[in-house]
Amino acid sequence: MLIGIPSILPPELLKVLMEMGHSDEIVLADGNFPAASHAQRIIRCDGHGIPELLDAILQLFPLDQYVERPAGLMAVMPGDKTETPIWEEYADIVRKRAGLSDPFQQIERFAFYERAKKAYAIIATGEGALYANLILKKGVVKPAP
């Protein structure tokens, strides 16, 4: 345990977040995502949902301020009637932690898979919501004043 570090974040995830540089991407993958077959690096967080992890990560991880939309959601497939209320949870967390009101781009499913393959790491979660996958682009950590 450390002071100021959310206890939900395992050591290997903290290491990866530290290793990442500006514009590197990390994927928070729901329980249905093919994380093991797509990941360059995989971090298992099976017992946790994405909202809790997102909230903890954004306490330490700046989103890229040099792009219009530093976060990506897997778009619902055309014709699929699935609702995505989890996206509103994400928006609330990003607003609270990063101060951004419209950070999300929707990425077509197969384009999302291809982008995930290039991500620095994929966090495999136990999230049960459908279309809950999320990509975050790391921003610049500015020096303390």
Side-chain angles (χ1 to χ4, degrees), residues 115-144:
R115 195 159 153 190
K117 287 177 185 177
K118 297 173 188 168
Y120 192 82
I122 296 176
I123 304 167
T125 75
E127 181 57 59
L130 300 178
Y131 294 100
N133 303 300
L134 178 64
I135 296 175
L136 303 175
K137 184 179 287 288
K138 188 175 184 181
V140 174
V141 176
K142 297 181 179 176

Side-chain angles (χ1 to χ4, degrees), residues 3-144:
I3 297 169
I5 304 290
S7 62
I8 192 174
L9 300 177
E12 58 270 10
L13 179 51
L14 291 170
K15 177 184 181 291
V16 162
L17 294 175
M18 286 288 297
E19 290 172 345
M20 292 175 66
H22 178 234
S23 82
D24 278 342
E25 294 184 330
I26 193 162
V27 177
L28 285 92
D30 67 32
N32 287 303
F33 190 84
S37 65
H38 284 60
Q40 295 182 47
R41 294 166 194 82
I42 190 167
I43 299 159
R44 305 297 317 190
C45 290
D46 299 278
H48 301 292
I50 292 176
E52 307 79 64
L53 287 164
L54 177 62
D55 185 61
I57 289 167
L58 290 182
Q59 292 178 50
L60 308 172
F61 184 100
L63 292 177
D64 193 338
Q65 64 272 28
Y66 299 114
V67 297
E68 187 175 341
R69 300 232 167 22
L73 299 165
M74 180 184 281
V76 176
M77 291 293 290
D80 190 335
K81 304 290 187 222
T82 300
E83 298 290 324
T84 56
I86 197 162
W87 293 1
E88 283 304 315
E89 286 185 63
Y90 295 169
D92 291 342
I93 294 165
V94 170
R95 216 175 353 265
K96 174 184 164 191
R97 294 291 180 195
L100 301 174
S101 60
D102 189 21
F104 303 108
Q105 63 176 297
Q106 290 191 29
I107 305 166
E108 185 274 333
R109 178 180 160 208
F110 295 104
F112 190 102
Y113 288 149
E114 289 307 309
R115 195 159 153 190
K117 287 177 185 177
K118 297 173 188 168
Y120 192 82
I122 296 176
I123 304 167
T125 75
E127 181 57 59
L130 300 178
Y131 294 100
N133 303 300
L134 178 64
I135 296 175
L136 303 175
K137 184 179 287 288
K138 188 175 184 181
V140 174
V141 176
K142 297 181 179 176

